[in-house]
Amino acid sequence: MKMREVKFVAALALGLVGCAGGVSDDEARARAEQVFRESFTHGNRQMAARVERQDEVQALCSRYRNEPPKDVAEKIEREQAAGIRYPASGKFLGDWRQGERIAQDGYGMRFTDPDTRRPNGGGCYNCHRIAPAEISYGTIGPSLYRFGALRGAGEATQRYAYGKIYDSQAYLACSHMPRFGHNGVLTEEQIMHLVALLLDPDSPVNR
Amino acid sequence: MPFHRLPAAVLVGVLAATLPCICAAQQDTQKEIERYRQLLAEGNPADLFEARGEELWKTPRGPKKASLEQCDLGLGAGVLKGAFAQLPRYFADTDRVQDLESRLVTCRVTLQGIDPAEATRNPFSAPGRPSDMEALASFVAGQSRGMKLAAPLRHEKELEAFRVGEQLFYRRAGPHDFACVSCHGENGKRIRLQELPKLTDPHDAQKIFTTWPAYRVSQGSVRTMQHRLYDCYWQMRHPQMDYTSEASIALEVFMAKYANSGEIQAPGLKR
């Protein structure tokens, strides 16, 4: 068998042949990577370097279009769960009022956000319904209204909420939700404030 | 008694009682947005951009003191009607796939002798700094109004651009792990109150892709498809996308495949 045939059969075996456009998915992917690198040349080099280099999870989720096979999904979830750093204090609940501000705030890490001293926001309302007073909420994620009231606010739920915000993919591989702790978008303290917004009985989410 | 220990029947009752009110509130919000859109649609400020674009199109400019009237937008030199409806497409003279803005830049450079850097210097307007590209794109798009989008997707390079665009659409990167598909992969979703099209669904794609360029009320200007993509990548925590970059055009070809046969309603009107 010639080398070319071997490659073709291998690609077929992996289910990666999709030949519209005359190229395999692997070739299209390689070409897309090159095009990507050549299309963000005028901005901040550090930012460019960060998006050019996908981490393993990003690369896998891109490849499988967010629907990884079971073994890949389990590997991602296992490894991401192992990377979660829980607060050393053993406490998960911060201040829900500060949590509400963080949930509203979309500031941070865009190329027009030069002030790195200003903390990043979580932008949670972009995708979730949370406190009932805010009617301008998105629907990409599930509603979190009454989260604590419905789930209970015990330590297991606190730990789950902290972990989910820290690294959503520890619970659902290739979730659309950013890995706020894992990727260094939000600090431990900020995540604790968000956990309080969801679980504190006094938070408007649960009142 | 803690809420979560209430009997299931009570919970169902509580949910049943609260759901109609949640839905009603959502419907009211949606109605208000529709009403706002209707008010806006009674006069589209994009008309002014089209008029200015037409003047720019017909006025001799640049070192060659030429107008753009002989620009070949894909249907032959000087053919305006319906040209936008068949973009992006492959152009033999530049040996690449081009969208409207990329092709306008080519014409400004080749016909008018404008320096390429100068031709792409101010693609997105700011207050007090209007952009010729926004006006020209509005004018040319308007010349295909009411026609059906028919991006060719036949030439080898058009098909390759589609495959590259498809890869990019699903490509997750950056501190938020975002890809285009994070927001545009499902029907009926919103960011805040803004509805999001599922761009691989012909129903959504045909309705949305065909409305760019569009006057954006929140920005007080016409914005082009290039700006739409630049703005998406901004929100995705990527660096600024190069104007008329190959990635941007590949994504447009990808979207055009699903939007094809949608009716052009550009320049549109948006939040």
Side-chain angles (χ1 to χ4, degrees):
Chain A
M1 208 188 274
K2 285 180 191 142
M3 197 53 215
R4 192 185 235 170
E5 285 165 337
V6 171
K7 269 168 75 181
F8 180 78
V9 170
L12 200 68
L14 288 167
L16 292 176
V17 168
C19 269
V23 293
S24 72
D25 274 2
D26 276 343
E27 287 167 320
R29 195 159 23 246
R31 179 82 186 97
E33 288 302 306
Q34 185 194 347
V35 167
F36 184 86
R37 282 191 301 274
E38 292 168 1
S39 296
F40 294 87
T41 60
H42 288 79
N44 177 308
R45 275 325 296 165
Q46 252 181 313
M47 274 188 97
R50 182 155 189 183
V51 295
E52 279 169 15
R53 198 181 49 250
Q54 293 175 296
D55 73 8
E56 197 191 355
V57 169
Q58 290 174 335
L60 286 169
C61 294
S62 305
R63 166 183 294 244
Y64 293 110
R65 300 183 183 175
N66 296 325
E67 290 175 1
K70 193 159 175 281
D71 57 327
V72 175
E74 283 171 0
K75 178 177 182 284
I76 290 173
E77 288 163 12
R78 200 168 51 240
E79 289 178 5
Q80 296 300 296
I84 299 176
R85 299 279 164 268
Y86 292 97
S89 64
K91 290 201 178 75
F92 297 106
L93 287 188
D95 169 8
W96 68 262
R97 286 178 186 80
Q98 293 192 56
E100 168 67 14
R101 277 199 289 279
I102 295 162
Q104 290 282 2
D105 187 8
Y107 186 87
M109 305 181 108
R110 298 165 300 200
F111 60 75
T112 49
D113 295 336
D115 185 355
T116 49
R117 287 162 307 176
R118 179 175 160 185
N120 296 328
C124 313
Y125 280 102
N126 286 351
C127 297
H128 295 284
R129 179 168 201 238
I130 313 175
E134 180 54 87
I135 60 156
S136 174
Y137 58 84
T139 57
I140 295 173
S143 169
L144 302 174
Y145 176 50
R146 303 202 61 73
F147 188 84
L150 292 167
R151 291 206 177 219
E155 201 192 314
T157 314
Q158 292 177 22
R159 189 178 168 85
Y160 165 73
Y162 186 94
K164 181 76 186 180
I165 299 168
Y166 189 100
D167 192 333
S168 58
Q169 298 203 39
Y171 301 87
L172 178 64
C174 301
S175 162
H176 288 312
M177 180 167 155
R179 294 169 289 167
F180 287 102
H182 178 92
N183 283 348
V185 178
L186 297 177
T187 64
E188 173 182 301
E189 196 188 2
Q190 286 180 306
I191 297 174
M192 287 169 66
H193 293 326
L194 290 172
V195 173
L197 177 65
L198 295 179
L199 294 178
D200 193 317
D202 291 333
S203 157
V205 169
N206 301 311
R207 269 204 314 264
Chain B
M1 191 191 314
F3 193 86
H4 66 285
R5 291 205 197 123
L6 285 171
V10 177
L11 263 184
V12 170
V14 169
L15 280 175
T18 52
L19 273 177
C21 112
I22 294 168
C23 294
Q26 271 179 5
Q27 273 168 10
D28 286 352
T29 311
Q30 203 54 44
K31 261 189 216 153
E32 276 304 297
I33 297 169
E34 293 301 330
R35 203 176 64 87
Y36 172 67
R37 290 221 171 104
Q38 238 170 9
L39 279 175
L40 291 176
E42 281 165 18
N44 188 346
D47 295 351
L48 302 172
F49 287 74
E50 275 188 77
R52 195 167 77 81
E54 181 171 11
E55 199 181 310
L56 286 167
W57 184 262
K58 292 177 173 167
T59 308
R61 298 168 83 209
K64 295 189 184 173
K65 304 224 179 340
S67 79
L68 289 167
E69 287 163 305
Q70 287 309 302
C71 179
D72 180 358
L73 293 163
L75 302 183
V79 181
L80 259 175
K81 275 269 174 262
F84 175 67
Q86 295 187 40
L87 289 171
R89 70 185 303 139
Y90 172 77
F91 286 86
D93 58 355
T94 53
D95 190 30
R96 58 193 181 103
V97 180
Q98 297 187 274
D99 69 349
L100 170 59
E101 290 163 82
S102 157
R103 194 60 188 172
L104 284 170
V105 169
T106 300
C107 286
R108 295 179 81 185
V109 171
T110 55
L111 294 177
Q112 300 183 315
I114 294 172
D115 180 70
E118 175 60 24
T120 53
R121 194 181 49 81
N122 183 29
F124 311 138
S125 64
R129 200 196 66 208
S131 159
D132 290 352
M133 293 306 294
E134 286 171 354
L136 284 166
S138 301
F139 169 61
V140 175
Q143 297 298 307
S144 290
R145 201 184 281 113
M147 297 179 186
K148 289 205 180 339
L149 183 70
L153 283 140
R154 277 189 301 267
H155 190 276
E156 188 192 337
K157 293 215 171 177
E158 291 162 354
L159 296 174
E160 188 195 314
F162 173 84
R163 297 295 306 283
V164 168
E166 182 178 40
Q167 293 294 329
L168 296 174
F169 185 78
Y170 294 98
R171 189 184 191 280
R172 299 183 71 166
H176 289 59
D177 297 328
F178 285 147
C180 309
V181 73
S182 309
C183 289
H184 297 291
E186 286 180 76
N187 292 108
K189 298 290 184 183
R190 303 190 320 234
I191 295 184
R192 292 279 184 163
L193 290 179
Q194 176 62 52
E195 294 159 76
L196 299 161
K198 177 180 178 180
L199 292 171
T200 49
D201 177 350
H203 175 265
D204 280 12
Q206 288 172 5
K207 215 166 64 181
I208 292 295
F209 187 78
T210 47
T211 57
W212 294 95
Y215 185 84
R216 288 201 58 187
V217 176
S218 60
Q219 309 207 2
S221 180
V222 160
R223 293 303 192 194
T224 61
M225 180 53 80
Q226 282 287 327
H227 184 273
R228 180 57 276 171
L229 293 169
Y230 163 97
D231 211 26
C232 279
Y233 275 108
W234 168 80
Q235 192 66 267
M236 286 158 67
R237 274 73 180 179
H238 280 51
Q240 64 209 77
M241 188 178 221
D242 298 345
Y243 189 62
T244 69
S245 62
E246 193 176 346
S248 67
I249 291 164
L251 281 165
E252 287 182 50
V253 172
F254 176 71
M255 291 187 281
K257 176 174 168 146
Y258 300 99
N260 261 348
S261 71
E263 186 186 316
I264 309 271
Q265 304 200 34
L269 180 67
K270 292 169 192 288
R271 177 181 62 85

